């Protein structure tokens, strides 16, 4: 390095001092925060079991870690060898299912409380025949639908009844979805009608997410040339509806599972399902399965009959 002054640098001493200050601060050891006691914020739930809280029996439930939650799931990118040259072809990959390990403990006031607390834990972890939601309030509240990935480990390690557990979980869908309390599967909703035919729906996450669409009962299709159409102009996707329903039926479209269901409801009980049939023939073959990109998305309907409606169920999503 040359040991002479270069006038072309024109260094500002004040700016250099500020840079030195910022660098030195960033390299200084950060003080360990002092906690006066255990912080129980009830911010993690597995089904109906709330962790980081004290339940009605004065049993303390603590989550110590959720391995696999804070990182990316495993990527799966196929390697397609170039037979006539070096390297491989560039291939589109996918994210694998998210594998998680929920670790924690429950602390009892008395050994007699252990059997009931253990039963409560076993009930929450019974996720083989049916899955459940693991919900973490990390601002916003995010959830993943999970099942068991292995046998849970539960061990009582103290005479008073402290019991530690480790539960392996598998989220087939690796996306962590925004989860709204008090709503089935945590969905937000927007309703499109012929008079309010477009809405801006914002995915505040960092990855594209699917939606669920409900088209109202007694839906009619007046023209096959210009059928009722739902579009996302942000992603340039459209879905065209070419078949109608009866007064007791409605179409339900799930863009994650790529299925269209023709659902019949009871006349006397509008929420009671009587029959479900495959309704894929009522959507045009070349229709696209609409997703919401990160950020604002403009969804709109055209050629919908008067009095009809299209309800969009959506959740923001994060991959990391």
């Amino acid at each position: 390095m040359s040991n002479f002054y270069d006038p072309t640098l024109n260094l500002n001493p004040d700016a250099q001092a500020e840079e030195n200050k910022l660098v030195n601060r960033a390299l200084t050891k950060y003080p360990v925060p002092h906690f006066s006691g255990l912080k129980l914020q009830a911010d993690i739930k597995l089904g109906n079991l709330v962790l980081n809280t004290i339940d009605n029996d004065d049993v303390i439930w603590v989550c110590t870690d959720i391995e696999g939650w804070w990182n990316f799931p495993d990527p799966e990118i196929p390697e397609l060898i170039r037979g006539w040259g070096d390297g491989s072809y560039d291939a589109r990959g996918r994210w694998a299912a998210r594998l998680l390990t929920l670790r924690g403990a429950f602390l009892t006031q008395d050994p007699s409380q252990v059997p009931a607390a253990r039963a409560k834990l076993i009930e929450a972890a019974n996720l083989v025949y049916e899955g459940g939601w693991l919900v973490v309030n990390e601002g916003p509240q995010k959830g993943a639908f999970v099942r068991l990935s292995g046998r849970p480990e539960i061990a009582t390690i103290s005479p008073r009844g402290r019991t530690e557990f480790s539960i392996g979980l598998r989220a087939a869908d690796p996306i962590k979805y925004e989860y709204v309390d008090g709503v089935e599967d945590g969905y937000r909703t927007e309703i499109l009608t012929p008079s309010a035919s477009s809405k801006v729906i914002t995915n505040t996450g960092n990855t594209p997410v699917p939606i669920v669409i409900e088209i109202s009962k007694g839906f009619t299709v007046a023209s096959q040339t210009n059928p009722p159409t739902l579009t996302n102009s942000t992603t340039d996707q459209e879905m065209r509806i070419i078949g109608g329903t009866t007064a007791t039926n409605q179409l339900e479209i799930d863009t994650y599972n790529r299925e269209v269901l023709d659902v019949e409801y009871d006349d006397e009980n509008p929420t009671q399902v009587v029959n479900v049939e495959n309704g894929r023939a009522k959507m045009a073959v070349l229709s696209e399965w609409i997703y919401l990109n990160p950020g604002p998305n403009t969804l709109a309907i055209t050629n919908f009959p008067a009095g009809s409606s299209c309800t969009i169920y959506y959740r923001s999503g994060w991959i990391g």
Side-chain angles (χ1 to χ4, degrees), residues 34-43 51-54 58-64 104-107 109 162:
H34 173 72
F35 295 106
S36 58
L38 187 64
K39 305 297 182 181
L40 298 176
Q41 299 176 340
D43 52 1
L51 302 177
N52 294 337
T53 191
I54 302 175
D58 292 334
V59 176
I60 304 166
W61 294 86
V62 179
C63 174
T64 57
F106 63 77
L107 314 175
Q109 306 299 314
R162 171 174 172 165

Side-chain angles (χ1 to χ4, degrees), residues 140-188:
Q141 190 166 252
K142 301 173 186 176
F145 191 79
V146 297
R147 295 179 188 267
L148 286 182
S149 65
R151 185 186 66 186
E153 300 292 337
I154 305 172
T156 301
I157 62 172
S158 78
R160 186 178 292 276
R162 171 174 172 165
T163 301
E164 296 184 350
F165 56 84
S166 175
I167 303 172
L169 301 169
R170 177 180 179 272
D173 183 348
I175 297 175
K176 297 188 295 185
Y177 291 101
E178 179 185 17
Y179 195 93
V180 180
D181 280 330
V183 182
E184 185 177 0
D185 291 337
Y187 281 106
R188 295 185 182 274

Side-chain angles (χ1 to χ4, degrees), residues 38-252:
L38 187 64
K39 305 297 182 181
L40 298 176
Q41 299 176 340
D43 52 1
I44 298 173
K45 293 182 289 186
L46 179 61
N48 293 323
L49 177 64
V50 181
L51 302 177
N52 294 337
T53 191
I54 302 175
D55 67 16
N56 294 333
D57 298 319
D58 292 334
V59 176
I60 304 166
W61 294 86
V62 179
C63 174
T64 57
D65 193 12
I66 312 175
E67 296 177 10
W69 181 265
W70 316 106
N71 302 315
F72 286 107
D74 290 334
E76 293 183 348
I77 303 177
E79 184 177 10
L80 306 177
I81 304 299
R82 291 166 62 94
W84 49 268
D86 297 333
S88 304
Y89 291 103
D90 180 37
R92 178 184 174 92
R94 60 186 293 276
W95 295 107
R98 187 181 292 274
L99 296 178
L100 305 162
T101 303
L102 177 65
R103 301 186 188 277
F106 63 77
L107 314 175
T108 57
Q109 306 299 314
D110 185 88
S112 63
Q113 294 178 304
V114 172
R118 181 188 287 266
K120 186 175 181 180
L121 176 61
I122 290 174
E123 181 181 1
N126 186 13
L127 301 171
V128 174
Y129 297 121
E130 295 183 359
W133 282 93
L134 173 65
V135 179
V136 180
N137 189 354
E138 53 176 296
Q141 190 166 252
K142 301 173 186 176
F145 191 79
V146 297
R147 295 179 188 267
L148 286 182
S149 65
R151 185 186 66 186
E153 300 292 337
I154 305 172
T156 301
I157 62 172
S158 78
R160 186 178 292 276
R162 171 174 172 165
T163 301
E164 296 184 350
F165 56 84
S166 175
I167 303 172
L169 301 169
R170 177 180 179 272
D173 183 348
I175 297 175
K176 297 188 295 185
Y177 291 101
E178 179 185 17
Y179 195 93
V180 180
D181 280 330
V183 182
E184 185 177 0
D185 291 337
Y187 281 106
R188 295 185 182 274
T189 58
E190 289 286 355
I191 300 177
L192 302 176
T193 64
S195 59
S197 59
S198 67
K199 292 283 181 70
V200 175
I201 299 177
T202 300
N203 171 9
T204 60
N206 58 19
T207 192
V209 293
I211 59 176
V212 174
I213 304 157
E214 284 186 356
I215 297 177
S216 56
K217 300 174 186 177
F219 189 78
T220 59
V221 177
S223 169
Q224 294 293 323
T225 305
N226 296 300
T229 302
L230 171 67
T231 61
N232 182 350
S233 59
T234 303
T235 60
D236 196 25
Q237 296 172 306
E238 70 172 23
M239 307 176 76
R240 289 170 292 155
I241 309 302
I242 59 174
T245 59
T246 67
T248 58
N249 288 45
Q250 71 181 33
L251 285 184
E252 298 182 2

